[in-house]
Amino acid sequence: MTRLNLRMFTILMVLAVIMAACGPAATPTESIPDEPEAPAPADTQPVEAIPEGGGTVVIAMAAAPVSLDPADHRSRESETVIRNMFDGLVTRDNTSGVHLQLAESMDWVDEQTLEIKLREGVKFHDGTEMTADDVVFTFERIINDNQIEYPEPHTSPRKGLIAPLESIEKTGDHSVVMHFSGPWPPAMQLLVHQQIVPKAYIEEVGTQGFIEQPIGTGPFKFVSAQPGYEEVVLERFDDYYGGSPDLAPAGTACVEKVVFRVIPEASTRVSALLAGEVDIITAVPQDLIPNLEANPDIQVTTAAGTQPKWIELNVNQAPFDDVLVRLAMNYAVDKDLIIEQIYGGRAVALPGPLSPFNNFANTSLSPYPYDTTKALDLLKQAGWEDTDGDGFLDKDGETFAFTIDTIESWRPLAEAVADMYRAIGIDANVRFWEYSVIKPQLQAGERMAWLDDWGDSAFDPVGHFEAKWHGFVADTPYGRGNFSGYNNERVNELTEMGETTPDETERHTLYDEAQQLVYDEAPAVFLLLPEEVEAASVNISNWAPASDSRQNMHDVCKSE
Amino acid sequence: MKAIKVLERILATLPIMFGVAIIVFFFIRLTPGDPVDIMMGQGGAISTGEIEQLREEFHLNEPLHIQLWYFLRDAVQGDLGYSYVLKRPVVELIAERLPATIELAMGALFFSLVIAVPIGIISAVRQNSLLDRLSMSGAFLGISMPGFWLGIVLILVFSVYLHWLPVQGRISVGIELEERTGFFVLDSLLSGNLEALKSSLLHLVLPSITLGAAVAAVTARVLRSSMLETLRSDYVTLARSKGASEWVVVMKHALRNALIPTITVLGLQIGILLGGNMVIETVFGWPGLGRMVVKAIFDRDFPLIQGSVMIYAFIFVMASLIVDILYTYLNPKISL
Amino acid sequence: MDTTSGTDTRIGRHAHVWRKKLNIWWRNFLELLGELRKHPLAMLGGFIIILYLFAAIFADQITVHDPMAGNLRNRLIPPAWYSEGSWEYPLGTDAQGRDILTRVIYGARVSLAVGLISVGISVIIGLALGTFAGYYRGRFDSVVSRLADLLLAFPFLIFAIGMMAFLGPGFANLILALTFKGWVEFFRLSRGEMLSEKTNEYVEAAKVTGHSHFSIMGKEILPNIIQAVFVLATLRIGYMIIMEASLSFLGLGIPPHIPAWGSMVAAGRDYMLVAPWVSTVPGLAIVILVLSINLFGEGLRDILDPRLKVEG
């Protein structure tokens, strides 16, 4: 070789060596090794009756989980993955309501005291047995302040979901008692959304170690996760106690591996399913349904939705401080057309602040009809008219203009609504944000209109109504999602009473009145409740999407 | 002597990196929006006490120059801070995503060289032939197409309609690969995993073509024009007159000298490779640094943005430096 | 001086001089056009550019539909050559039922405005700084050159993305982000040209005859530099347009309700499987425009500055 070539060669070799050496050191969360790296249970040999099936199921979700710590998140995607690794005291089935899971029995001793007997022989993924200590630890970690120490000490964001829980104590190796601050009718519904974590393990490795290698009692155990949880791999836990005996099939999971993958773009998700790269996809937009239905290898299913959508209007800022204007905003939207065109009929118009499927929905309410004449009339009464002939309404020299803030996921809905407002002379525009960025501004009351949803999956107003329509009170669960600034004394009162009244009929009356008030004062434009559409390949069986977004991988089987 | 010059050149990049760090720092600090709000935005209800705690921890109450000092001091030690959103050290996050981006850049470079070098040579040798005109037109097209559009069109044709190539991602789901270096192609070779090798190569095709198209176009044109020059030069005429075969003339003499300006231009194209990958990674769902930065920007995850931009600048400066050094060695007539 | 009427007054004399200059310019322009005819591709490019400019300026007059108002009943209609399409919406409609052709035409406004203005400002800043730095050298030169080197350390798109992230979407912000780094190239070019021109004889001659520095720079050297700068500028316009489109594609450019080609392509991605035209058509508009600009610029370069030719 000439001198020149030798030099070049050396340089390139050096570069290659540097690049190889600079590769990241293998950490447990990165590599996908053949052997599981998690502390192996004492007997990983499969139990004699290996269930038929096996295989790997890949699910594509629209957004990534934010955490695998059952106490440290408020997102559906996180809960989806978590509930396959962690079981709770109770669980909910899509059709039959709440069932006992880790709890063997639960009895109300009095209105405020709940005695729980725990199932015995339940193993965590590391082989240790679940006891009352773990249950006490789990709940104290949620309701006491600053219990989660990583990355900085903070309080569990799920505390608000079980706010009335004051204390919990161990009464035996497999029994605990929960003390509530008052009667709490939706207790069962909301306990579904908390899962049990292992005390000894967390105390040993800390929260940081826990989220790097989560350990629970669920049907699947953690194998690995990519940064940002773009991909999470789970493996069947062969020592699973079997799950709730009420819900068949009991026993260990059918499939061997579950992979959760994040594919934010809907058409990419659908392509991946059509190409056989993934087995199940969530959040299918209606435009793509015909593609899927036409394919004999794909099954498409829908479930009743639990994420009602509305536009919260800032009631403390003009022009939305005038109830006439807010009512007009409700009359100006042709919800039926949107449902027909954008959702393919797979949605229902919202009759009021609660989902029509909620057990306590006020059945006398019906959605605001589409009536542009009435809308313009109301606006005129409020002083808004097109006096300068530019096509837009104005008042005192100012044009009626505002921005609808929302997240990218609701783009078609937001743009369609904005179009409808423009059609009656309101200069409406849309702007897209990341939720975490806009949230502080919303809480400070700096935005005018926020289009989003709030989960209503408990079928009980609690967990939802007080978050949205009660006035904001710092350091309490009240108004934690209230971005309209709505604060009606009577509604607040009714909400608080509804939470603690045990009598069902009375609760109905209270909530009916509260809903009527919110409906009449219209702090939001009540839009619609879309169905959850999901699709899977036909060799997936025993799969049914749940309205609370739970992906129950335990039941699912895959044939080849 | 050259070694000392090289060292000087390397040291000269330090003030540039310093300047980069300062620029990035100030840009971030001067943006409206409270960082603590953003960090809090991730959680649910946070108590006011915790907010104060966070302010202390991130030195947000101190004057700007003190914050700058903390930032620089940490950066030099390799600590680029903590991601607000992903709650992990920035350096770790970057290290995890960087191999994907580099693999893509290398794929694009490979593609563009494979296309540009032969075309550049043949077009020069057969000047004004049909091939020449076609490829130069193609080159024009190459620099006129936005990467995001080309990527979408390629996906539509090759993935959606023809089903030849995968739609997105780096490797098919369900294929297990032991990651040692983070470069999937290398790792599958190292572990003898043929399935993974095939899958990762297939996934590399479309993104590499998309990212490399513009670079290929420019490189082909420059190579052609410098070849045309050298083919007319004296020493080539001399070689010909001495009876050397055409092949030897072209490859040994003309090409060697034509490579010099080509490599220079290639060095400048590294900017495109690094900058363009944010868009390409978004289009193809490629889990690299670019996509992470875009998401970080929307999340207002300042430490992550800061660290990533600095790493980009660093790589860019290093790459330019390497090109400079290569250039020197290639052209003995020129000293640094 | 000739003795036509009107030249005895001062204004008359100035007008006369200017008339002569205009004549010269006009003749140069016609000569340019003549030259251009020898480059058919460049002419085609120029013609298309004029077409786009025309469309952008007269958008209101030549379009039938409203670019912003959607009609849900008309969602995702395919372009006219499909069986389900119609000539009412020649290029189809998007997910909100808006006519794509109309939006593409309005999008031309954004792209052309951004391209021309950002390059224009970059040229002015770069030229001014470059000529001063090249002429006077000294501290000014080293400071600005250092700054330029520093800015060059960032890949263009990353810098632009970073700036847009902090400034937020908006037309003015976009121009700022693009010019912040855009001037560097023109600075270097004009400085380099100035450095080489400075040593020429006519400069020495001008100095000797007592011209001020300013007039030397302005009258003598500048016209020679401008040609090279002009050629570079035309080529950069296409690049800036692609940059703007990329930023809008990522959601960091023009606010979403204003029609812009990049954001149109991005919005169409969700419908790629059922309505590929929503993404591909606006992208095609970009390609055609940038290609035309590049062809035209190349032709211009061939004519004005043959020594920069890439062709043999």
Side-chain angles (χ1 to χ4, degrees):
Chain A
M1 286 199 238
T2 65
R3 220 177 96 236
L4 163 67
N5 291 351
L6 184 58
R7 283 245 170 90
M8 267 183 74
F9 182 79
T10 329
I11 290 177
L12 287 170
M13 282 293 104
V14 169
L15 286 174
V17 168
I18 291 178
M19 293 225 243
C22 282
T27 62
T29 49
E30 266 188 313
S31 55
I32 309 178
D34 294 329
E35 315 284 4
E37 284 204 18
D43 41 338
T44 21
Q45 316 311 314
V47 189
E48 61 285 347
I50 303 174
E52 305 205 72
T56 305
V57 173
V58 183
I59 309 177
M61 302 192 292
V66 297
S67 173
L68 296 182
D69 182 342
D72 203 7
H73 73 89
R74 283 304 301 269
S75 88
R76 289 235 164 168
E77 291 80 17
S78 309
E79 199 166 351
T80 302
V81 179
I82 285 173
R83 283 177 76 183
N84 284 297
M85 287 194 288
F86 296 88
D87 277 353
L89 292 172
V90 289
T91 186
R92 180 168 42 231
D93 175 73
N94 213 9
T95 47
S96 54
V98 179
H99 292 271
L100 297 170
Q101 200 174 39
L102 287 177
E104 201 175 79
S105 69
M106 293 173 105
D107 296 299
W108 288 97
V109 176
D110 60 50
E111 274 185 352
Q112 294 172 233
T113 319
L114 181 63
E115 257 180 24
I116 306 174
K117 264 197 75 181
L118 302 170
R119 217 173 285 281
E120 296 184 35
V122 175
K123 294 228 165 74
F124 281 106
H125 299 151
D126 62 355
T128 59
E129 198 181 311
M130 182 199 76
T131 65
D133 289 321
D134 301 302
V135 177
V136 170
F137 175 77
T138 299
F139 284 98
E140 285 185 336
R141 188 165 178 258
I142 298 175
I143 60 178
N144 293 341
D145 282 335
N146 285 344
Q147 289 302 298
I148 305 179
E149 83 283 4
Y150 178 80
E152 304 87 34
H154 61 281
T155 311
S156 164
R158 299 186 80 67
K159 177 175 174 175
L161 289 172
I162 47 171
L165 180 62
E166 270 181 349
S167 67
I168 175 172
E169 57 185 301
K170 167 178 171 178
T171 52
D173 274 338
H174 292 96
S175 52
V176 297
V177 169
M178 282 185 170
H179 298 282
F180 296 91
S181 57
W184 196 37
M188 288 300 124
Q189 294 280 7
L190 289 168
L191 280 174
V192 169
H193 297 287
Q194 311 288 357
Q195 292 79 34
I196 304 301
V197 299
K199 168 179 173 161
Y201 180 67
I202 294 185
E203 284 181 340
E204 185 191 319
V205 303
T207 302
Q208 181 173 9
F210 177 58
I211 59 180
E212 280 175 11
Q213 196 73 39
I215 300 248
T217 59
F220 292 94
K221 57 182 195 249
F222 178 81
V223 173
S224 67
Q226 280 195 8
Y229 299 120
E230 304 230 324
E231 190 175 279
V232 179
V233 181
L234 306 179
E235 203 178 62
R236 173 170 64 215
F237 178 47
D238 291 312
D239 274 342
Y240 185 55
Y241 68 97
S244 173
D246 301 335
L247 300 171
T252 52
C254 188
V255 296
E256 199 178 310
K257 257 199 167 134
V258 177
V259 178
F260 288 93
R261 218 184 201 196
V262 179
I263 305 181
E265 297 92 33
S267 49
T268 318
R269 266 199 310 283
V270 171
S271 307
L273 181 63
L274 289 171
E277 279 184 20
V278 303
D279 299 302
I280 300 178
I281 57 174
T282 64
V284 181
Q286 89 88 3
D287 291 303
L288 301 172
I289 295 180
N291 264 52
L292 295 167
E293 286 184 325
N295 190 316
D297 296 325
I298 308 274
Q299 47 174 323
V300 179
T301 49
T302 51
T306 52
Q307 293 184 288
K309 313 221 176 317
W310 40 60
I311 306 178
E312 278 172 280
L313 305 167
N314 190 336
V315 303
N316 296 318
Q317 241 186 56
F320 299 127
D321 52 355
D322 187 340
V323 62
L324 292 173
V325 174
R326 298 200 299 267
L327 288 172
M329 303 297 280
N330 271 286
Y331 282 106
V333 179
D334 188 352
K335 297 184 272 283
D336 291 330
L337 183 62
I338 292 181
I339 292 177
E340 184 195 315
Q341 293 291 333
I342 297 187
Y343 292 91
R346 291 183 170 83
V348 294
L350 272 187
L354 279 183
S355 149
F357 300 116
N358 192 301
N359 294 334
F360 289 84
N362 183 336
T363 47
S364 73
L365 295 175
S366 59
Y368 279 102
Y370 176 52
D371 192 340
T372 46
T373 324
K374 179 129 191 217
L376 285 167
D377 192 52
L378 285 165
L379 285 165
K380 192 161 166 192
Q381 283 177 50
W384 292 97
E385 269 190 275
D386 185 8
T387 53
D388 52 14
D390 64 349
F392 287 123
L393 301 172
D394 49 80
K395 173 176 164 181
D396 303 328
E398 285 215 11
T399 315
F400 194 148
F402 78 104
T403 305
I404 300 179
D405 296 311
T406 186
I407 57 178
E408 182 72 39
S409 313
W410 314 135
R411 176 189 280 260
L413 178 59
E415 291 189 334
V417 173
D419 273 340
M420 288 174 177
Y421 286 137
R422 266 201 291 275
I424 64 163
I426 299 178
D427 188 8
N429 291 308
V430 190
R431 189 164 168 192
F432 303 103
W433 300 81
E434 290 294 307
Y435 183 59
S436 56
V437 175
I438 188 117
K439 187 171 167 190
Q441 297 181 51
L442 290 171
Q443 283 173 324
E446 292 166 7
R447 311 300 303 179
M448 293 182 75
W450 171 246
L451 193 163
D452 201 2
D453 57 27
W454 192 273
D456 187 358
S457 55
F459 299 104
D460 188 295
V462 176
H464 165 86
F465 202 86
E466 84 283 5
K468 261 307 190 219
W469 311 114
H470 191 294
F472 177 68
V473 181
D475 294 325
T476 72
Y478 294 122
R480 61 183 185 273
N482 182 336
F483 301 129
S484 58
Y486 180 65
N487 198 343
N488 178 312
E489 287 277 326
R490 179 65 183 149
V491 170
N492 295 350
E493 202 178 20
L494 290 164
T495 311
E496 289 163 30
M497 291 200 298
E499 274 180 17
T500 53
T501 311
D503 180 50
E504 269 219 19
T505 332
E506 226 186 291
R507 286 187 84 207
H508 273 285
T509 322
L510 291 168
Y511 279 118
D512 278 354
E513 192 191 330
Q515 289 172 67
Q516 183 73 55
L517 280 167
V518 176
Y519 180 88
D520 291 333
E521 302 202 305
V525 179
F526 305 108
L527 290 171
L528 39 81
L529 177 64
E531 289 173 13
E532 314 262 344
V533 182
E534 306 187 349
S537 92
V538 290
N539 47 10
I540 300 285
S541 51
N542 279 355
W543 167 72
S547 1
D548 59 358
S549 303
R550 179 176 179 215
Q551 290 291 343
N552 187 354
M553 289 294 111
H554 167 262
D555 295 348
V556 168
C557 288
K558 178 176 179 178
S559 52
E560 286 307 325
Chain B
M1 274 303 105
K2 268 196 187 158
I4 296 191
K5 286 257 167 117
V6 170
L7 197 61
E8 269 182 20
R9 193 67 182 78
I10 294 179
L11 286 178
T13 60
L14 287 178
I16 292 189
M17 286 314 301
F18 193 70
V20 164
I22 295 187
I23 288 185
V24 171
F25 172 83
F26 274 110
F27 258 120
I28 299 202
R29 285 295 176 276
L30 292 176
T31 318
D34 193 343
V36 176
D37 276 340
I38 294 160
M39 290 190 275
M40 296 291 94
Q42 286 297 316
I46 305 291
S47 71
T48 29
E50 285 164 344
I51 294 183
E52 261 321 296
Q53 235 173 318
L54 275 161
R55 291 217 119 88
E56 282 298 316
E57 176 129 2
F58 285 92
H59 313 296
L60 291 170
N61 289 329
E62 320 251 5
L64 219 53
H65 57 275
I66 304 267
Q67 291 191 41
L68 179 60
W69 163 243
Y70 278 124
F71 171 64
L72 289 173
R73 181 200 64 183
D74 290 338
V76 167
Q77 288 173 21
D79 173 11
L80 288 173
Y82 239 76
S83 158
Y84 292 160
V85 173
L86 295 173
K87 313 238 195 300
R88 292 171 60 196
V90 168
V91 196
E92 224 175 81
L93 289 167
I94 293 181
E96 273 170 355
R97 308 288 277 222
L98 196 55
T101 298
I102 293 186
E103 196 170 35
L104 177 57
M106 283 172 51
L109 198 61
F110 177 76
F111 166 77
S112 43
L113 286 178
V114 159
I115 298 282
V117 172
I119 287 189
I121 297 177
I122 299 181
S123 303
V125 168
R126 298 191 199 291
Q127 193 189 355
N128 289 329
S129 66
L130 185 61
L131 180 66
D132 180 23
R133 288 193 198 282
L134 274 178
S135 31
M136 284 304 108
S137 316
F140 259 112
L141 200 56
I143 54 176
S144 306
M145 290 189 292
F148 58 89
W149 182 79
L150 179 59
I152 288 178
V153 169
L154 287 176
I155 292 179
L156 273 172
V157 171
F158 291 101
S159 304
V160 176
Y161 291 147
L162 291 174
H163 299 295
W164 287 354
L165 291 166
V167 176
Q168 61 97 48
R170 250 183 120 186
I171 197 171
S172 293
V173 188
I175 294 187
E176 306 211 343
L177 177 61
E178 198 183 322
E179 290 185 47
R180 286 193 223 155
T181 60
F183 296 99
F184 283 9
V185 174
L186 196 59
D187 284 337
S188 32
L189 281 172
L190 286 176
S191 50
N193 189 338
L194 283 176
E195 205 192 343
L197 180 66
K198 178 170 166 219
S199 180
S200 45
L201 283 175
L202 281 180
H203 279 85
L204 258 177
V205 172
L206 288 182
S208 302
I209 294 180
T210 310
L211 188 56
V215 177
V218 175
T219 312
R221 295 185 71 209
V222 171
L223 183 57
R224 176 183 178 278
S225 76
S226 29
M227 280 287 288
L228 285 174
E229 255 187 56
T230 55
L231 278 174
R232 296 195 198 334
S233 62
D234 295 335
Y235 48 88
V236 167
T237 326
L238 183 64
R240 278 210 189 104
S241 69
K242 280 202 198 156
S245 74
E246 194 60 24
W247 174 258
V248 169
V249 166
V250 168
M251 294 310 279
K252 263 193 78 180
H253 297 282
L255 182 59
R256 173 114 57 90
N257 290 289
L259 273 180
I260 296 168
T262 312
I263 290 192
T264 322
V265 168
L266 207 55
L268 295 174
Q269 300 300 304
I270 296 190
I272 295 186
L273 285 179
L274 285 181
N277 69 38
M278 288 168 130
V279 175
I280 307 292
E281 287 185 16
T282 304
V283 172
F284 286 94
W286 193 265
L289 196 54
R291 203 162 138 219
M292 185 171 76
V293 174
V294 173
K295 179 158 197 306
I297 286 176
F298 282 108
D299 288 337
R300 300 267 203 279
D301 191 349
F302 296 145
L304 190 54
I305 302 175
Q306 202 167 274
S308 306
V309 172
M310 281 183 50
I311 293 292
Y312 268 115
F314 181 73
I315 294 178
F316 190 53
V317 168
M318 285 296 115
S320 313
L321 183 64
I322 291 176
V323 167
D324 268 353
I325 297 178
L326 269 177
Y327 181 83
T328 319
Y329 280 114
L330 270 184
N331 192 346
K333 299 188 213 140
I334 294 186
S335 71
L336 269 172
Chain C
M1 279 244 304
D2 87 42
T3 49
T4 48
S5 61
T7 51
D8 2 338
T9 64
R10 253 182 90 212
I11 294 187
R13 278 201 295 277
H14 278 286
H16 183 76
V17 169
W18 275 107
R19 250 213 320 265
K20 261 200 164 169
K21 282 196 176 173
L22 264 156
N23 264 329
I24 300 178
W25 282 16
W26 181 245
R27 250 183 285 146
N28 277 341
F29 184 63
L30 286 179
E31 206 181 296
L32 187 67
L33 280 185
E35 282 289 312
L36 211 52
R37 217 165 323 160
K38 296 189 200 149
H39 298 80
L41 279 180
M43 268 186 65
L44 180 62
F47 179 67
I48 294 183
I49 295 175
I50 293 181
L51 215 62
Y52 270 82
L53 277 168
F54 181 79
I57 297 175
F58 296 107
D60 294 322
Q61 282 76 11
I62 59 175
T63 55
V64 179
H65 301 280
D66 186 336
M68 314 255 280
N71 184 344
L72 281 185
R73 288 180 225 278
N74 293 330
R75 293 181 84 222
L76 301 176
I77 297 179
W81 56 87
Y82 280 66
S83 54
E84 305 92 32
S86 83
W87 284 100
E88 196 187 341
Y89 304 102
L91 293 176
T93 59
D94 66 5
Q96 294 299 317
R98 297 179 287 217
D99 178 39
I100 291 183
L101 177 61
T102 308
R103 302 199 79 205
V104 165
I105 290 178
Y106 275 89
R109 285 188 169 176
V110 170
S111 296
L112 284 167
V114 170
L116 290 169
I117 295 180
S118 54
V119 170
I121 296 182
S122 300
V123 164
I124 293 176
I125 297 180
L127 192 59
L129 289 178
T131 43
F132 269 89
Y135 194 82
Y136 289 112
R137 305 302 306 277
R139 198 122 61 103
F140 180 74
D141 181 21
S142 28
V143 164
V144 181
S145 290
R146 276 289 133 76
L147 183 60
D149 282 339
L150 195 56
L151 284 175
L152 276 182
F154 296 89
F156 198 108
L157 193 57
I158 288 173
F159 194 80
I161 287 179
M163 280 202 72
M164 286 312 291
F166 301 133
L167 298 171
F171 188 77
N173 294 342
L174 188 54
I175 303 283
L176 180 62
L178 290 174
T179 50
F180 210 89
K181 202 172 174 293
W183 63 267
V184 172
E185 265 188 312
F186 296 100
F187 166 75
R188 284 195 150 188
L189 178 63
S190 13
R191 179 177 175 275
E193 291 285 307
M194 169 61 82
L195 285 178
S196 67
E197 290 287 316
K198 229 173 54 160
T199 55
N200 281 346
E201 298 163 336
Y202 68 92
V203 175
E204 288 302 316
K207 276 199 191 144
V208 161
T209 54
H211 282 82
S212 76
H213 286 300
F214 225 74
S215 77
I216 298 179
M217 282 201 304
K219 290 210 192 116
E220 310 284 341
I221 308 187
L222 204 56
N224 294 319
I225 297 184
I226 278 198
Q227 262 187 2
V229 170
F230 186 66
V231 166
L232 182 64
T234 37
L235 292 171
R236 284 336 240 172
I237 294 182
Y239 184 67
M240 287 297 194
I241 292 180
I242 292 187
M243 284 292 116
E244 175 270 316
S246 302
L247 287 170
S248 300
F249 174 78
L250 290 174
L252 289 167
I254 306 291
H257 57 274
I258 299 180
W261 294 333
S263 36
M264 288 169 73
V265 175
R269 281 178 78 202
D270 277 339
Y271 306 96
M272 256 198 333
L273 293 178
V274 292
W277 60 86
V278 184
S279 279
T280 48
V281 168
L284 205 56
I286 302 176
V287 174
I288 295 177
L289 177 60
V290 175
L291 188 59
S292 309
I293 294 178
N294 285 336
L295 285 173
F296 182 72
E298 185 77 2
L300 214 60
R301 184 164 69 174
D302 277 352
I303 299 171
L304 289 181
D305 214 349
R307 64 193 161 107
L308 292 181
K309 257 161 94 144
V310 184
E311 311 272 302

